[in-house]
Amino acid sequence: MQAELNMNKTLFDKIWDAHVIKQADGGLDVLYIDRHFIHEVTSPQAFDGLRKRGLGVFRPQQTVATADHNVPTKNQHLPIKEELSRFQVDKLVENCQDFGLELYGLGHPYQGIVHVIGPELGLTQPGMTMVCGDSHTSTHGAFGCIAFGIGTSQVEQVLATQCLLQRRPKRMRITVDGQLQPGVLAKDIILYIIAKLTAAGGTGYFVEYAGEAIRSLSMEGRMTICNMSIEMGARGGLIAPDETTVSYLKNRTFAPQGEAFEAAAAYWRTLYSDPGAEFDVEHHFDAADIAPMVTYGTNPGMGIKINEHIPTAAGQTASFGKSLEYMGFQAGEQLLGKAVDYVFIGSCTNSRIEDLRLVAQFVKGKQKAGHVNAWIVPGSKQVEAQAKAEGLDRIFLDAGFDFREPGCSACLGMNEDKVPEGAYCISTSNRNFEGRQGPGARTILASPLMAAASAIAGKIVDVRTLLN
Amino acid sequence: MEKFTQIRSSAIPLPIEDVDTDQIIPARFLKATTREGFGENLFRDWRYNPDGSPKAAFVLNNPQYGGQILVAGRNFGCGSSREHAAWALYDYGIRVVVSSFFADIFRGNALNNGLLPVQVEESFLHDIFLAIEADLKAVFEVNLEQQTITIIPSGAQASFPIDPFRKMCMINGYDDIDYLLSIQSDIENFEQRQKRYFTNTILP
């Protein structure tokens, strides 16, 4: 009977069902959380709450902390200059000490953006439930786990009970068939999908990504896709684990080792949507139709192919006009050839070693345009060390790029890394909201290759015309 | 959490779609370690010029508007999971946000903080905006028990959905954590049954 029922389950439901402790009154599920990440910005009030209630952390070994959101990306060995940031980071250290939590803080070789370090340390594993007080927790779904962002009250709940009360979301499957054109990356796939489905198109859903174009991506590419699930409103996205997943995890610090790894891998290989599994919504896209993407507006759904024009104003809402006014763009025009002032390569979307290798390969022997400020911010200390070991840092410096220390940096401008008012920044991050990269900053989201090419040209270019 | 049953109040119109949490409270104001005081920077960059002077055109700077209800365009609260967005609205004095569509994480955060998200049809949202346009002090009644919102001047009423558990929590001022703490033995039993999932994160 059990086997029969399992015949038609989605990957999402297999994992969800395995973590439901019971159903509470009103139909909410008590969901057990395997892994919990915390950082300095969304955790202090949760610890305060624990103190007020006289509670400890229920399962301290299942929570890992890092400092990433407001840390400087220069001179991390020195005390943080900005007083409030320093206070917040110090508070995290104090809270982790008081409650007995593992902290990969500033100066630790594992420190980095929470969604970069989880996977690279092997803390992220298929079949798990994972949460963090950060909406880009969806990144971890690339490994075939249920990972989603939560608010601070929920951070407190997980610290206190290792559980959350959740209503099961609806399921969506997005299948991308076929093969990508040269110069088109995972980032372009997800910007293309969000442009098609809009910034609210996934709200209420958990998304499974499938199809040949997804399957042929590296783990880094899959993380980029799942990372931006939230930008269409979906709580999370996930991809069934396969041999790419298994080989990525082998020998990672916190992955099971030896026989235990083989046993875990055997379980991971059972994690996929059954052929008869039903989704509430299905979307199909053709990889061949995807081109390098750029955003022209102030939400990630406002994206176009690089050779397309911004939509005309006809039939658009007042918010569309407000958005273009903020960006200084005209309805109906192209972005090709527009000057850029800043280039930001980093964030939990695109700061992994593969992103840095791609950028290095492209900029090697070239020079950035004189007027452009180009920042490369690695996702973690491990990515930074690997880049240096491969000599990528020299390539970046020789090309005029500023290679910095790890953190969230200019993705949200909580530290000094801000884009000035009115300046244009082509960015590999995930949000082009008004003021996201600094008050008045104008953000154009794109892939690492498009960002690198635009840094060299000093203007927005189609990277496909520059590939050998 | 404060209890919520019903309110009667005028409303503040914000007819903009896709209002993201970076607008509600920009990241650079997230550095406080308590829950209080965020209202000061609510809609900071729409509300103030870089030199700190108020932008006269923004609705919160117009003394003719006011009240505990914020009425906004669809997809309110998208983007970052920052609960600070809910804290900022609450700290400013907002108790109800009305929209035709809410982002998931914001909705949850609001409900965990006694801030009620009221989702209505696009046409009813339009009627609310019209009612405010006709009378800036137009009063609205939100009744959580009945799950209704009423435009008092016209008497037009709409019902709104809310998860029954969340409704019970709002009315009684309960937090999820009280419930979760009460089932600790269930959680421990589950952990015993499902051992294979858990490995320590800390190296021996």
Side-chain angles (χ1 to χ4, degrees):
Chain A
M1 184 64 188
Q2 190 66 36
E4 204 176 332
L5 280 175
N6 284 342
M7 284 301 285
N8 294 316
K9 266 193 178 183
T10 67
L11 167 61
F12 176 84
D13 289 294
K14 286 181 184 177
I15 303 170
W16 184 277
D17 289 345
H19 289 82
V20 174
I21 292 181
K22 63 188 279 187
Q23 206 164 60
D25 297 342
L28 292 177
D29 290 333
V30 178
L31 192 69
Y32 190 85
I33 303 303
D34 294 333
R35 288 263 197 265
H36 182 210
F37 296 108
I38 58 171
H39 61 82
E40 74 278 21
V41 176
T42 59
S43 67
Q45 294 86 352
F47 286 110
D48 264 5
L50 292 182
R51 286 193 181 94
K52 278 185 191 142
R53 294 173 199 268
L55 296 170
V57 174
F58 181 58
R59 293 289 178 254
Q61 72 277 19
Q62 285 168 232
T63 291
V64 169
T66 192
D68 56 2
H69 276 63
N70 69 26
V71 301
T73 56
K74 289 271 192 198
N75 296 317
Q76 286 185 348
H77 60 288
L78 299 176
I80 300 175
K81 276 192 231 153
E82 213 268 321
E83 192 187 349
L84 289 173
S85 296
R86 188 175 66 240
F87 183 70
Q88 216 169 32
V89 170
D90 288 349
K91 200 82 193 161
L92 181 71
V93 175
E94 182 190 314
N95 285 330
C96 288
Q97 277 168 357
D98 287 359
F99 288 89
L101 299 178
E102 186 83 336
L103 168 66
Y104 304 138
L106 278 183
H108 194 287
Y110 294 167
Q111 180 267 338
I113 304 174
V114 59
H115 312 309
V116 175
I117 71 170
E120 77 183 3
L121 288 169
L123 289 166
T124 304
Q125 293 166 23
M128 284 184 164
T129 48
M130 312 181 72
V131 295
C132 173
D134 188 284
S135 60
H136 293 111
T137 307
S138 59
T139 311
H140 306 265
F143 290 80
C145 50
I146 292 181
F148 55 92
I150 55 175
T152 299
S153 296
Q154 293 172 308
V155 171
E156 184 181 337
Q157 290 159 25
V158 176
L159 289 172
T161 70
Q162 209 58 37
C163 288
L164 287 172
L165 276 171
Q166 292 287 304
R167 186 166 292 283
R168 186 188 299 252
K170 292 181 281 187
R171 311 101 178 135
M172 177 187 290
R173 179 161 60 188
I174 297 175
T175 305
V176 187
D177 292 312
Q179 291 176 359
L180 295 173
Q181 302 169 38
V184 178
L185 304 182
K187 181 64 164 286
D188 300 306
I189 301 179
I190 191 65
L191 284 173
Y192 174 94
I193 292 171
I194 302 166
K196 293 278 185 195
L197 302 184
T198 80
T203 306
Y205 293 91
F206 230 86
V207 180
E208 180 174 344
Y209 300 95
E212 186 191 354
I214 302 292
R215 197 116 321 278
S216 51
L217 293 172
S218 65
M219 288 316 296
E220 285 84 353
R222 295 179 191 186
M223 285 188 252
T224 300
I225 301 268
C226 290
N227 172 275
M228 290 191 74
S229 302
I230 185 66
E231 308 312 335
M232 55 180 156
R235 278 303 277 284
L238 74 175
I239 296 170
D242 57 13
E243 293 315 307
T244 305
T245 321
V246 172
S247 54
Y248 178 97
L249 284 169
K250 195 161 183 137
N251 299 323
R252 297 268 163 189
T253 311
F254 294 103
Q257 307 291 328
E259 275 178 35
F261 182 83
E262 294 312 320
Y267 165 61
W268 297 341
R269 291 186 182 102
T270 69
L271 297 170
Y272 52 82
S273 288
D274 296 321
E278 283 188 25
F279 291 82
D280 298 285
V281 177
E282 295 240 28
H283 293 286
H284 290 268
F285 299 108
D286 178 5
D289 186 49
I290 305 175
M293 299 288 293
V294 283
T295 60
Y296 59 87
T298 54
N299 75 57
M302 301 174 85
I304 49 175
K305 295 176 191 171
I306 182 61
N307 50 330
E308 285 180 335
H309 296 253
I310 297 174
T312 55
Q316 302 282 1
T317 62
S319 302
F320 177 82
K322 182 178 184 294
S323 186
L324 286 195
E325 193 187 340
Y326 180 86
M327 290 301 293
F329 293 147
Q330 304 294 319
E333 71 173 344
Q334 269 195 311
L335 262 59
L336 261 181
K338 294 266 186 200
V340 296
D341 309 295
Y342 282 75
V343 173
F344 173 59
I345 293 167
S347 87
C348 57
T349 314
N350 281 119
S351 64
R352 297 180 178 82
I353 190 65
E354 182 185 275
D355 300 311
L356 269 49
R357 284 180 189 140
L358 264 175
V359 171
Q361 199 183 357
F362 185 86
V363 305
K364 189 173 187 174
K366 301 189 179 85
Q367 262 300 311
K368 72 161 180 78
H371 68 278
V372 170
N373 288 288
W375 299 333
I376 301 182
V377 181
S380 69
K381 288 309 274 185
Q382 294 207 82
V383 170
E384 182 190 11
Q386 181 66 28
K388 286 182 172 168
E390 295 177 20
L392 307 187
D393 57 329
R394 286 292 346 154
I395 296 173
F396 297 143
L397 291 176
D398 290 347
F401 286 69
D402 193 0
F403 184 61
R404 298 188 165 213
E405 293 172 278
C408 298
S409 181
C411 173
L412 81 170
M414 277 197 79
N415 67 354
E416 303 85 341
D417 305 347
K418 291 182 177 65
V419 175
E421 186 175 0
Y424 287 97
C425 179
I426 185 158
S427 176
T428 67
S429 56
N430 40 57
R431 290 189 172 135
N432 50 349
F433 296 151
E434 282 185 36
R436 172 85 176 176
Q437 297 193 289
R442 292 158 159 171
T443 305
I444 297 157
L445 300 177
S447 78
L449 263 185
M450 284 290 284
S454 300
I456 304 296
K459 59 187 181 183
I460 298 175
V461 290
D462 184 344
V463 69
R464 290 173 301 182
T465 62
L466 302 169
L467 295 174
N468 298 327
Chain B
M1 189 167 90
E2 293 280 319
K3 294 178 182 178
F4 185 108
T5 47
Q6 65 168 60
I7 62 168
R8 277 172 83 101
S9 169
S10 55
I12 302 168
L14 190 67
I16 300 169
E17 297 176 352
D18 302 312
V19 173
D20 59 77
T21 53
D22 274 86
Q23 306 318 313
I24 300 171
I25 181 91
R28 62 189 192 281
F29 298 109
L30 303 185
K31 291 177 184 174
T33 53
T34 63
R35 290 175 188 236
E36 291 79 35
F38 290 103
E40 226 174 281
N41 294 310
L42 176 69
F43 293 116
R44 175 75 198 200
D45 293 334
W46 286 351
R47 194 168 149 200
Y48 298 106
N49 291 305
D51 66 7
S53 60
K55 291 182 177 174
F58 188 62
V59 67
L60 294 190
N61 294 323
N62 185 338
Q64 291 182 288
Y65 294 104
Q68 296 177 291
I69 303 173
L70 179 74
V71 188
R74 75 187 300 277
N75 199 25
F76 186 84
C78 60
S80 156
S81 62
R82 62 190 67 167
E83 193 162 316
H84 312 65
W87 298 336
L89 288 160
Y90 196 91
D91 191 59
Y92 184 82
I94 303 295
R95 293 295 175 269
V96 173
V97 182
V98 184
S99 178
S100 54
F101 196 79
F102 288 93
D104 278 340
I105 303 180
F106 175 80
R107 181 199 294 272
N109 286 341
L111 288 164
N112 278 329
N113 286 279
L115 175 68
L116 183 67
V118 170
Q119 185 166 321
V120 296
E121 295 291 327
E122 200 68 55
S123 60
F124 195 81
L125 186 72
H126 186 67
D127 290 346
I128 295 175
F129 284 129
L130 288 180
I132 302 172
E133 210 174 286
D135 174 6
L136 307 187
K137 298 286 182 210
V139 170
F140 301 84
E141 183 179 289
V142 176
N143 185 317
L144 178 55
E145 192 72 62
Q146 306 290 327
Q147 296 181 221
T148 54
I149 174 166
T150 310
I151 303 174
I152 297 296
S154 68
Q157 191 176 76
S159 59
F160 60 87
I162 182 169
D163 198 287
F165 181 84
R166 299 286 168 216
K167 178 177 172 179
M168 184 274 291
C169 286
M170 285 281 284
I171 290 174
N172 295 294
Y174 295 158
D175 294 319
D176 286 7
I177 199 165
D178 300 325
Y179 172 78
L180 292 172
L181 287 167
S182 77
I183 59 158
Q184 188 168 332
S185 60
D186 290 323
I187 299 171
E188 285 168 350
N189 288 339
F190 175 86
E191 286 179 324
Q192 287 304 316
R193 286 202 310 273
Q194 301 283 332
K195 257 189 183 112
R196 64 174 180 172
Y197 288 113
F198 318 115
T199 49
N200 283 0
T201 51
I202 299 167
L203 282 176

